[in-house]
Amino acid sequence: MKQHSLLSKGMVATMLAQFFSAFADNAIFFAILAFIKNLHYPAWSQSVLQISFVLPFIILSPFVGQFADSISKGKAMMISNSIKLLGAGCICLNISPFAGYFLVGIGAAAYSPAKYGILGELTTGDNLVKANGLIEASTIAAILLGSLAGGHIADLNVSASLLVCVLVYGLAVIANFFIPKLPAARQNISWQFINMVNDFTNTLEIICNNKRVLFTLLGTSLFWGAGITLRFLLISWVPAILNIHDNATPTNLNAIVAIGIVIGAGLASTFISINKTLRCVPAGIMMGIAVIAFTLQSNIISSYILLIIIGALGGFFLVPLNAFIQKIGKELVGAGSVISVQNLSEYTAMMVMLGFYTLAVALNLSVTAIGVGFGSLFALVIFLLWLGLKNNESH
């Protein structure tokens, strides 16, 4: 089969739209953190803020994949970014930051299946791994710059940081206009509530019956659950270990992780083929070990080095698994539908790990104890998944 061009007009437009959208997603997180900090909200409100963003992914998971597959994915991305723009605007207008961030979460939940599902329609074969590498690199570069912008601008002026988010979401909407109008993946979707839930349940059953896809899905879910925990771990680590209380330093550390993920995503797209995705799994195990090593640090330079390593291992682990899920998912149930199941799995993992993290904080466990326990558990579970994947492949 002839492979589609990796850098077609559609791919470039998709990368730009994803870059602007992810930039604003991360800038607005740190901007709102600064906003609620200025208003003297209690410490637990930070976790509630993150939950308000994650919750729409779980609630809407039966519907967003079918939404993405029922219309042109470029149009689905434009609608989703418009909802994010509305949520950011609400926060700028002094409407509840939790309600505004909930709207941003709705837009992000609808955006994700279209963003990843469109890759299988714009390119094929090993180019799909490379396209995932480009998208992940674009995403993490946006996380890097967005996090820096959100934290540093918020230290200067919180209102200005929120306004920047509104403007960048607007750029994402404009970029969506340049994505070619591709045919809908599924023309026969019923928009009746019961039928959509039944369709999602059927999709879930098909995926659960494919052990390789199921184990791979658990791997990506653990990665993103780990990612959200690491983000809050860094936010707590800065004042606890470094005795620094600004908004910029935690964003700098998150940016360091992002640099590593860009490196890891690039290496994965170069050295891992679509038929050899299992080669990436040991990187996940080493990532857990590196988190343990990081939490034992008190020196900022060695911490930077370990955060880059953690990010690189994470990027190398994630990209091939995403590509495999998209390839097999497209064949089984449609790209948008499988990614909606992926969202349910990944964001449920985020909620569970965030819940454990919040409980650990409430019990006054030290940052070091939380990090060592979390890293050990992550490495162990990824190792068990690796054994399951290898055993399934041998059969």
Side-chain angles (χ1 to χ4, degrees):
M1 180 185 292
K2 182 181 178 181
Q3 293 193 359
H4 297 174
S5 171
L6 184 61
L7 289 177
S8 62
K9 176 185 174 182
M11 268 298 301
V12 172
T14 300
M15 281 193 294
L16 285 173
Q18 171 58 10
F19 176 84
F20 291 132
S21 189
F23 180 101
D25 285 349
N26 286 274
I28 202 168
F29 172 75
F30 289 103
I32 301 174
L33 279 183
F35 180 69
I36 63 177
K37 184 177 176 181
N38 283 358
L39 295 177
H40 304 292
Y41 278 74
W44 54 259
S45 65
Q46 293 183 357
S47 298
V48 174
L49 178 68
Q50 188 67 67
I51 289 170
S52 71
F53 178 83
V54 169
L55 199 56
F57 283 85
I58 299 172
I59 296 172
L60 298 177
S61 55
F63 315 108
V64 291
Q66 296 174 67
F67 164 70
D69 281 341
S70 66
I71 60 176
S72 170
K73 289 186 173 60
K75 183 178 181 181
M77 292 167 70
M78 183 177 65
I79 293 170
S80 302
N81 277 323
S82 298
I83 296 172
K84 292 183 182 183
L85 178 61
L86 177 63
C90 287
I91 300 169
C92 284
L93 293 173
N94 273 335
I95 299 173
S96 166
F98 302 98
Y101 204 39
F102 182 77
L103 273 176
V104 173
I106 291 174
Y111 183 80
S112 182
K115 171 189 72 176
Y116 283 113
I118 199 173
L119 297 183
E121 298 175 3
L122 291 172
T123 188
T124 57
D126 280 341
N127 270 352
L128 183 56
V129 178
K130 292 181 172 63
N132 269 274
L134 287 173
I135 285 292
E136 290 299 336
S138 172
T139 301
I140 305 307
I143 292 172
L144 165 64
L145 297 174
S147 298
L148 288 171
H152 285 271
I153 297 174
D155 275 341
L156 299 174
N157 188 291
V158 174
S159 297
S161 66
L162 291 170
L163 183 59
V164 166
C165 297
V166 171
L167 294 174
V168 178
Y169 276 134
L171 290 174
V173 173
I174 293 170
N176 288 139
F177 281 104
F178 294 93
I179 297 175
K181 187 176 181 181
L182 300 166
R186 299 169 64 192
Q187 303 283 352
N188 59 343
I189 291 176
S190 169
W191 286 95
Q192 295 181 352
F193 178 81
I194 298 299
N195 289 338
M196 292 183 78
V197 172
N198 288 338
D199 188 89
F200 181 77
T201 303
N202 182 57
T203 299
L204 195 58
E205 184 178 349
I206 292 170
I207 289 172
C208 288
N209 287 332
N210 188 310
K211 291 292 190 293
R212 180 81 188 274
V213 175
L214 179 61
F215 287 152
T216 304
L217 193 58
L218 289 173
T220 64
S221 300
L222 285 167
F223 172 85
W224 287 113
I228 199 168
T229 307
L230 182 60
R231 171 181 270 188
F232 278 92
L233 191 65
L234 288 175
I235 292 171
S236 300
W237 184 84
V238 169
I241 304 299
L242 301 182
N243 197 30
I244 297 173
H245 300 273
D246 61 9
N247 297 303
T249 303
T251 67
N252 292 342
L253 294 174
N254 275 277
I256 292 295
V257 178
I259 291 172
I261 296 181
V262 171
I263 295 169
L267 291 172
S269 63
T270 302
F271 294 109
I272 305 290
S273 72
I274 193 70
N275 297 317
K276 299 291 182 181
T277 53
L278 268 185
R279 291 179 178 177
C280 73
V281 180
I285 300 169
M286 290 186 286
M287 176 184 160
I289 296 169
V291 169
I292 297 171
F294 165 76
T295 55
L296 297 174
Q297 301 301 310
S298 58
N299 179 276
I300 191 67
I301 302 301
S302 60
S303 299
Y304 281 159
I305 294 170
L306 279 167
L307 287 174
I308 290 177
I309 292 172
I310 289 169
L313 291 169
F316 194 86
F317 173 72
L318 179 67
V319 166
L321 297 186
N322 271 340
F324 178 80
I325 289 171
Q326 291 157 29
K327 176 180 179 291
I328 302 302
K330 181 183 177 183
E331 298 168 2
L332 289 175
V333 293
S337 292
V338 76
I339 291 167
S340 68
V341 173
Q342 188 176 5
N343 280 342
L344 173 63
S345 177
E346 291 176 355
Y347 282 88
T348 299
M350 289 185 196
M351 288 281 283
V352 170
M353 291 194 185
L354 187 59
F356 279 128
Y357 176 81
T358 304
L359 178 62
V361 171
L363 292 173
N364 290 320
L365 297 180
S366 69
V367 173
T368 301
I370 294 171
V372 170
F374 156 73
S376 302
L377 183 61
F378 180 81
L380 175 62
V381 175
I382 294 297
F383 175 72
L384 294 175
L385 277 177
W386 187 35
L387 293 180
L389 282 165
K390 289 183 73 174
N391 181 63
N392 183 74
E393 190 176 63
S394 65
H395 289 84

